Amino acid sequence: MSENIIGPVDGTKVPRFAGESTFARLPRIDQVSDYDVAVLGAPFDGGVSFRPGARFGPTAIRQASRHLRPAYHPDLQIAPFRTIQAVDAGDVPCNPFDIDSALKQINEVSAEYISDSHKLVTLGGDHTITLGILRSMVAVHGPIAVIHFDAHLDTWDTYFGAERTHGTFMRRAFEEGLLIEDSSLHVGIRGPLYDRSDLDDDKRFGFSTVRASDFDRMGVDEVIGLAKQRVGDQPYYLSIDIDVLDPAFAPGTGTPEMGGFTSRELLSMVRALPRDQMVGADIVEVSPAYDHAEITSLAAATLSYEIMSLMALAK
Ligand SMILES: [Mn+2]
């Protein structure tokens, strides 16, 4: 399809603050005959345990994505949107009052955009949305590994009696058989817990963990080496909770924890991730009401662009 790729609005002709309000001013999905990668918004935050507001994440990330100069990525040496047809598929119309209804909608809508030749990058929304996406991914690819960048494990059992929330969805994913055994990885975990047993439970679900404090000793190469070892040649899903960044770099999020990565550290890790086995990705937990100067939404927009550049390199 490379002959017929429709790229973003040309920033040398229409300034970046004007024109389309799609992600990176890409074409809408109904403006192309086929695509390689779709960006989908999942504006749902009914599963948060602390600060709300991530329902406005997709809109804020799209707005911040105007800032991208999307033509050429000098570090990865690729022109992603001339290599793949990328599109904006709009938002899932999530039920704001019922978690399971919203998950069903996210599952059904995302399933329309995933196949062996169609990849999906989803903008949250709180982290609960990942459960709906994982169900769609597994329906196409079978069980998958997850590389999970987050300050939190997200493998609690229940919270105030709720089973599917942004702090419990990863345990549900394990219980539903969505994860390949002993192949996944948490990166960036930190902060105090309700109970020490949270850590022991987590190992049963197939995760190794790189704590934020481990990064100082390991560095990018060792973390990525471990990620490659965990995933091997199996399909994997990348899920980035923006709170994996330090609050200095991502203040606009629901459950901030000090001692996180800098944006440069996170970019270095993301750029080095395995490319060919990545079947999809999401960026979640951007809560614009707590953001300042678009710091957090710009981080999320840039990470989305980086991921799409990896997908272009894999094509
Ligand atoms: Mn999370």
Side-chain angles (χ1 to χ4, degrees):
M1 91 167 38
S2 57
E3 300 296 303
N4 304 316
I5 286 177
I6 303 175
V9 174
D10 184 347
T12 65
K13 298 202 169 76
V14 181
R16 285 172 289 158
F17 48 80
E20 296 293 326
S21 53
T22 51
F23 181 84
R25 307 196 304 168
L26 286 163
R28 298 190 315 267
I29 197 164
D30 59 299
Q31 294 175 307
V32 299
S33 56
D34 198 5
Y35 64 91
D36 300 297
V37 177
V39 177
L40 178 68
F44 176 78
D45 63 7
V48 300
S49 56
F50 204 62
R51 295 170 173 174
R55 68 182 61 184
F56 297 107
T59 302
I61 297 168
R62 287 189 179 100
Q63 169 63 21
S65 76
R66 290 176 172 281
H67 188 74
L68 298 166
R69 269 175 229 91
Y72 187 70
H73 192 314
D75 294 286
L76 291 175
Q77 300 184 354
I78 190 159
F81 299 146
R82 289 179 201 147
T83 308
I84 53 170
Q85 178 65 66
V87 296
D88 191 319
D91 287 338
V92 180
C94 299
N95 183 323
F97 301 111
D98 186 272
I99 294 176
D100 286 330
S101 297
L103 281 173
K104 186 162 180 284
Q105 290 167 310
I106 292 164
N107 178 208
E108 287 172 357
V109 173
S110 64
E112 293 174 29
Y113 302 124
I114 302 165
S115 77
D116 283 335
S117 57
H118 298 99
K119 290 183 178 174
L120 185 66
V121 177
T122 306
L123 314 175
D126 78 51
H127 221 153
T128 317
I129 67 129
T130 301
L131 184 58
I133 308 285
L134 284 175
R135 289 169 178 165
S136 310
M137 289 284 161
V138 169
V140 171
H141 300 289
I144 50 183
V146 175
I147 296 183
H148 174 218
F149 285 89
D150 201 319
H152 313 96
L153 298 166
D154 295 350
T155 51
W156 278 343
D157 190 357
T158 60
Y159 193 58
F160 285 82
E163 295 185 347
R164 283 162 292 280
T165 75
H166 78 157
T168 63
F169 78 91
M170 205 63 98
R171 183 187 292 232
R172 299 290 95 80
F174 165 79
E175 291 169 351
E176 292 181 22
L178 307 181
L179 309 180
I180 301 175
E181 197 176 334
D182 200 26
S183 298
S184 296
L185 181 66
H186 300 294
V187 183
I189 305 301
R190 61 194 190 274
L193 303 169
Y194 285 117
D195 196 291
R196 193 202 145 94
S197 65
D198 291 0
L199 296 174
D200 302 328
D201 281 354
D202 188 76
K203 291 200 183 77
R204 291 195 291 116
F205 309 139
F207 283 88
S208 284
T209 298
V210 176
R211 296 185 62 78
S213 52
D214 293 332
F215 180 84
D216 299 329
R217 178 177 50 79
M218 296 174 75
V220 172
D221 290 349
E222 205 177 319
V223 174
I224 293 305
L226 179 59
K228 288 180 172 166
Q229 190 188 320
R230 296 296 292 169
V231 167
D233 56 5
Q234 306 171 111
Y236 83 93
Y237 184 79
L238 172 64
S239 187
I240 302 179
D241 188 322
I242 205 70
D243 71 23
V244 78
L245 291 173
D246 190 84
F249 299 90
T253 193
T255 43
E257 305 282 351
M258 72 173 288
F261 298 132
T262 67
S263 354
R264 192 169 64 245
E265 288 165 346
L266 183 57
L267 280 180
S268 296
M269 284 186 276
V270 167
R271 285 175 187 161
L273 286 170
R275 297 162 184 173
D276 295 339
Q277 306 93 307
M278 189 197 297
V279 295
D282 61 44
I283 318 267
V284 299
E285 298 282 352
V286 172
S287 183
Y290 298 94
D291 204 6
H292 307 275
E294 294 188 334
I295 299 171
T296 314
S297 48
L298 179 64
T302 306
L303 287 162
S304 308
Y305 173 70
E306 298 288 332
I307 290 164
M308 293 166 87
S309 298
L310 293 180
M311 290 172 170
L313 283 164
K315 188 171 161 73

